[in-house]
Amino acid sequence: MKKLMTTVLAATLIHTSIQAQIIYIDDSGKGQQKETQDNHFKQEDIPAYELQPMKAGDVQLKAGLFSERYELNRRYLMFLEAPKLLQNFYAEAGLNKEYMVGKDRRIDDYYWGWESLSGQLRGHFLGHYLSACAYVYAQTGDVALKQKADFIVSELARCQQINGGEWVGSIPEKYMYLMAEGQPMWSPQYTLHKTLMGLYDMYAVGGNEQALTILDKFADWFHRWTQEMIDNGKPEAIMNGETSGMLEIWANMYELAKTSPQLNQQKYLDLMERYGNPWVFTQLMKGEDALSSDHCNASVPWSHGAARCYEVTGNKYWLDVTKAFWRCAIHEREQYCTGGQNAGEHWIPKGKLALFAGENNQEHCTVYNLMRTAAYLYKWTGDVEYADYIERNLYNGILAQQHPQTGMVAYFLPMASGYKKGGEKGWGDPTMDFYCCHGSLVQAQNRYLQYIYFEDQQGLTVAQYIPSTLSWQYGGIKVNMEQDFEGNQWTKNWDANRFKILMKVSCEQPTTFELRLRLPWWLDQKAKVTIDGKPISVNQLHGYLTISREWKQNEIVVEFADRLWTEPLPGAPGMVAFMEGPIVLAAVDGEVQLKGDASRPASFLQREMDQQYRTVRWTQSHYRTVGQQKKVRLKPLYEIADEAYTIYFPISK
């Protein structure tokens, strides 16, 4: 018998005192340079995480809803053409002089929208694309996609050489200087960060060594520019241009520099310090509301930067900042039933959620990025709160804002009745839009593989119930997870329950470890669990069920009661949304008045059943109203495509 003994997940570093040049931004937005030996970047003990996600490639999706959406996204990545993705980098390097649309040129020779050659955010999408390709390759071994991404990296190296050996931006360097002079520029640091991020992921996840070389040379430019801003008395410029993602990338590179002799550790420490003291952190640490009415997606990446600073320095200040951000963003303000908290790209002020329910709610980027914040906190704490948050937003954000047939993105997700997905922008076009949310789309649709299984020193945690296969690196252990509603042959139950899960554990030799199963937030009855047909006692409603035993070849069946329930709209008495488990139900109709007791949703809705000859045998989560003046059909929000819809319904007794 083998006892599970996983490797300690983090090392401990000796405390060091680093003399650093730090810029503190005060209330006026002006910066002050201070010399200090006692700062937030001082090395402390690197944290040993409570949980660690599985490596990309250890988890494979099985047939079902998530694999279908994943495949839509993978096909789109293959559809896009590398030369057109590179068009703005070529133009900046002077490599192509044929950027004229006329009699001899066609409009489809280029990509448009935010990628247009005249746009100030041009080139941002390529970084998202590289990140997405890196993960898909690591997860599936898709060689063709890897070749496209590798070609792009090699072309970026060519552009960098032509540009003088450092600059590899898709926009001119002067944009950064114009921004520093106070000229209204559209988020140049946001645009450049995406290229940095894509190069990092191509190296760290996609295994492309050239990407690291390019990134390191590009960082020299930022190191020199930030020093210029400090020397010229304009340190506040470093925080302009939607710069929040920069802190995370420099923390990533600082971590690499610790073990890579070819990288200059001090350079990346300098960059972390110069980007690491925004006023939002000061406000958060004072317990103030730093977010209401602020640009939502410009602020969320600050939490990623703080999180990575904690992981690479061990300094508890960054842990406190990340938790303070979560408290201000999630705990201290209301959320829609989908998980969203913003309107028109800005945080909704506390207590005003109902007033802002309209056409342009829940920007897709914010869903993806807040889930990333939750993933950091879940890894550190193992608290089910964060896994519950991820589950709600997976179904009602990541899936709901991807077109179920085309795979395109809905920039916004309206909360008011009678609107269509995408809000005023509609669904994204494959080659004519390339919104910021277009970029987060291609990343979001492969990241959910990282949210399913986690390991620690005691064993394995199942955090999300998504049909998948895990090949655990320790001891030749495999876990195969299926769901009843996917039409598998292990059940003949005609009334299929999508929340009934079968897990098969297979070990090469008997192995003792803990299997921890998340008991979701939405349950109103205790889960039913059996191992090899024998019932297991479940003593709590929510949290974790931990099973510690010797495993060899075992079958676990977990059944969560199929709960239909209502969630009120905060600040709007009598307005409720219908939910099945974590899934928001929507009606393809305008606002409809319903009569009855909102605490008894089963008195309003009746399940629809229909045998089908395809992957899904039954119509899941489809309902119709009963006993109402008007018949209304409801189905999962993630199935809504091009129709106007309603989420919240007025109910009177």
Side-chain angles (χ1 to χ4, degrees), residues 47-103:
Y49 310 135
E50 185 71 21
L51 298 172
Q52 191 74 293
M54 296 298 167
K55 296 178 181 178
D58 289 350
V59 181
Q60 301 292 320
L61 294 175
K62 295 176 66 68
L65 172 63
F66 285 90
S67 65
E68 289 171 2
R69 297 301 187 88
Y70 185 100
E71 181 60 19
L72 273 177
N73 193 59
R74 190 196 66 81
R75 290 203 299 266
Y76 177 58
L77 294 173
M78 282 300 300
F79 161 80
L80 292 170
E81 301 174 51
K84 295 178 184 178
L85 292 171
L86 284 159
Q87 65 188 27
N88 293 294
F89 297 86
Y90 285 157
E92 182 62 18
L95 281 172
N96 192 333
K97 300 183 185 300
E98 297 179 349
Y99 293 125
M100 296 290 290
V101 178
K103 293 180 180 179

Side-chain angles (χ1 to χ4, degrees), residues 79 127 132 185 214 239 241 259 273 286 358 537 590 593 616 629 652:
F79 161 80
M185 306 302 297
I214 300 168
M239 297 299 173
T259 56
E273 291 164 347
K286 288 180 178 178
S537 176
Q593 177 76 44
V616 182
Q629 288 186 341
S652 61

Side-chain angles (χ1 to χ4, degrees), residues 436-607:
C436 56
C437 296
H438 211 122
S440 58
L441 164 80
V442 297
Q443 291 185 265
Q445 292 298 336
N446 52 63
R447 288 296 178 90
Y448 39 72
L449 280 78
Q450 311 304 121
Y451 300 147
I452 305 173
Y453 305 99
F454 293 79
E455 65 178 350
D456 59 17
Q457 292 182 330
Q458 286 71 47
L460 180 69
T461 295
V462 179
Q464 303 297 332
Y465 297 97
I466 296 174
S468 55
T469 299
L470 166 66
S471 297
W472 198 5
Q473 295 296 327
Y474 178 81
I477 300 171
K478 290 187 179 295
V479 178
N480 187 73
M481 177 158 48
E482 300 176 0
Q483 287 178 292
D484 189 6
F485 85 106
E486 298 295 355
N488 297 293
Q489 296 304 309
W490 61 275
T491 176
K492 299 298 182 182
N493 180 14
W494 69 271
D495 190 12
N497 176 9
R498 70 184 306 158
F499 304 114
K500 186 175 182 180
I501 298 100
L502 169 68
M503 284 183 284
K504 296 180 180 179
V505 179
S506 176
C507 306
E508 291 180 354
Q509 54 182 302
T511 308
T512 298
F513 63 89
E514 288 183 1
L515 179 65
R516 194 177 299 112
L517 306 175
R518 180 178 63 92
L519 304 174
W521 52 283
W522 46 267
L523 292 178
D524 62 351
Q525 300 177 38
K526 291 180 181 178
K528 297 179 181 179
V529 181
T530 63
I531 299 180
D532 298 329
K534 298 179 180 178
I536 297 295
S537 176
V538 180
N539 297 321
Q540 63 189 75
L541 191 61
H542 306 128
Y544 288 111
L545 171 65
T546 301
I547 306 169
S548 181
R549 55 165 290 163
E550 180 182 277
W551 303 89
K552 188 175 182 182
Q553 306 293 329
N554 305 99
E555 287 192 355
I556 308 153
V557 176
V558 181
E559 186 168 8
F560 302 130
D562 194 0
R563 181 190 179 194
L564 182 66
W565 57 294
T566 56
E567 182 168 299
L569 174 60
M575 295 290 289
V576 303
F578 290 93
M579 301 187 69
E580 184 189 69
I583 298 162
V584 173
L585 304 176
V588 182
D589 210 331
E591 185 174 296
V592 178
Q593 177 76 44
L594 302 178
K595 292 186 177 182
D597 184 353
S599 66
R600 298 177 56 246
S603 65
F604 292 89
L605 303 181
Q606 183 179 69
R607 184 191 296 271

Side-chain angles (χ1 to χ4, degrees), residues 146-166:
K146 176 67 156 57
Q147 288 174 340
K148 289 184 69 171
D150 285 343
F151 169 76
I152 290 172
V153 171
S154 67
E155 290 296 276
L156 290 177
R158 188 158 69 105
C159 293
Q160 186 177 54
Q161 183 180 18
I162 294 171
N163 291 338
E166 291 181 351

